[in-house]
Amino acid sequence: MHLLGIIIAILAFIFFLVLAFGMTVVGFVLRLLGWGNHQGVQRRRTTVHANPDAEAPKTKRFSEGEGEYIDFEEV
């Protein structure tokens, strides 16, 4: 009975692995043919390019007199 459970678990794992691989291949082929999710891709592109400053992290700007450049070599 224990062996039967192991066999069922292995078969379930193989089934889901094949299913995931198949969905990946189908999605890739559909995108190649132009039937992919264009609306979602276009929305993301528009959002990113519409306001690039919104996603940029705020950084401290140093004036001319602050800090110095140090050149170093790795040993």
Side-chain angles (χ1 to χ4, degrees):
M1 200 61 160
H2 186 61
L3 182 62
L4 182 63
I6 294 173
I7 292 173
I8 291 174
I10 291 172
L11 289 176
F13 178 74
I14 291 172
F15 172 76
F16 286 116
L17 192 66
V18 169
L19 184 67
F21 181 72
M23 293 298 285
T24 303
V25 170
V26 168
F28 178 73
V29 169
L30 288 177
R31 272 185 268 125
L32 282 178
L33 295 176
W35 294 339
N37 186 5
H38 295 292
Q39 184 179 10
V41 172
Q42 184 64 31
R43 186 179 311 133
R44 274 185 256 130
R45 285 183 186 160
T46 303
T47 303
V48 170
H49 296 296
N51 193 1
D53 294 330
E55 293 183 17
K58 303 294 181 194
T59 58
K60 180 179 175 184
R61 308 267 174 156
F62 294 103
S63 66
E64 278 298 313
E66 285 186 79
E68 64 181 88
Y69 179 77
I70 300 174
D71 192 19
F72 70 95
E73 292 183 19
E74 291 188 27
V75 178

